[in-house]
């Protein structure tokens, strides 16, 4: 799977989970069906939100985006549906072009430790995916323990 495809899939999944969360909030507050829809949709959205941020960092490093662009990619997940226009903008700018960087090139950044580590990770996609899922799950677990934004009712 190319960086473009991965970023596109996760950006759209993030927008879908925003939709589910908004519907769940309408069910809770307008239809008054209880907390369960928000619990389910919130769980899904939170996991995909963290996955989108991780994907933005991973793809951003691969595509040699600026730190500002990587932070902006993460920030787009905060506003509902903004991940899709941002992905389209990156596509138009050609910033999603290319494959995963698995070998050292003549680029001066390839001597940096982060790029060496990155190439090692990309060369082992299954291990990297497992590590990424475990890390997202750990962060998600900590967030669940801390409780929802604004505290518990």
């Amino acid at each position: 799977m190319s960086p473009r495809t991965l970023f596109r899939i996760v950006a759209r999944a993030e927008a879908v989970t925003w939709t589910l969360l908004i519907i769940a909030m309408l069910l809770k507050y307008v239809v008054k069906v209880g907390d369960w829809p928000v619990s389910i949709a919130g769980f899904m959205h939170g996991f995909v939100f963290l996955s989108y941020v991780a994907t933005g960092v991973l793809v951003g490093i691969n595509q040699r985006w600026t730190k500002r662009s990587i932070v902006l990619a993460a920030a787009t997940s905060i506003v509902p549906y903004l991940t899709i226009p941002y992905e389209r903008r990156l596509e138009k700018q050609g910033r999603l072009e290319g494959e995963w960087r698995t070998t050292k090139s003549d680029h001066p950044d390839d001597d940096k430790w982060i790029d060496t580590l990155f190439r090692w990770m990309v060369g082992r996609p299954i291990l990297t995916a497992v590590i990424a899922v475990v890390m997202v799950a750990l962060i998600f677990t900590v967030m669940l323990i801390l409780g929802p934004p604004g505290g518990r009712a």
Side-chain angles (χ1 to χ4, degrees):
M1 177 178 306
S2 70
R4 170 194 288 138
T5 302
L6 177 63
F7 193 79
R8 177 175 288 149
I9 288 170
V10 180
R12 292 178 184 197
E14 211 277 338
V16 167
T17 61
W18 260 119
T19 302
L20 294 174
L21 185 57
I22 291 167
I23 291 169
M25 290 184 345
L26 288 171
L27 288 171
K28 178 180 178 177
Y29 295 109
V30 177
V31 182
K32 309 256 190 237
V33 298
D35 291 344
W36 67 269
V38 173
S39 296
I40 295 168
F43 179 87
M44 292 169 39
H45 177 67
F47 193 84
V48 173
F49 168 84
L50 291 173
S51 298
Y52 175 78
V53 171
T55 300
V57 171
L58 187 67
V59 172
I61 290 170
N62 187 74
Q63 303 304 102
R64 299 190 197 281
W65 296 348
T66 63
K67 290 176 187 164
R68 181 181 179 272
S69 293
I70 293 171
V71 169
L72 187 58
T76 61
S77 62
I78 296 169
V79 178
Y81 308 111
L82 195 55
T83 57
I84 293 174
Y86 190 69
E87 178 265 325
R88 288 183 180 160
R89 177 179 163 205
L90 291 170
E91 179 69 35
K92 285 181 184 177
Q93 294 172 342
R95 294 170 64 201
L96 293 172
E97 290 292 322
E99 295 301 316
W100 294 106
R101 293 186 295 116
T102 57
T103 58
K104 186 175 179 181
S105 70
D106 293 335
H107 196 281
D109 285 342
D110 276 355
D111 288 328
K112 294 180 179 175
W113 70 269
I114 190 78
D115 281 83
T116 302
L117 175 63
F118 181 80
R119 286 192 304 274
W120 182 87
M121 290 169 48
V122 170
R124 293 153 183 84
I126 294 172
L127 177 61
T128 300
V130 168
I131 291 170
V133 167
V134 167
M135 289 180 68
V136 167
L138 285 173
I139 293 168
F140 194 69
T141 300
V142 169
M143 292 174 73
L144 283 173
I145 291 168
L146 293 175
R152 299 185 195 276

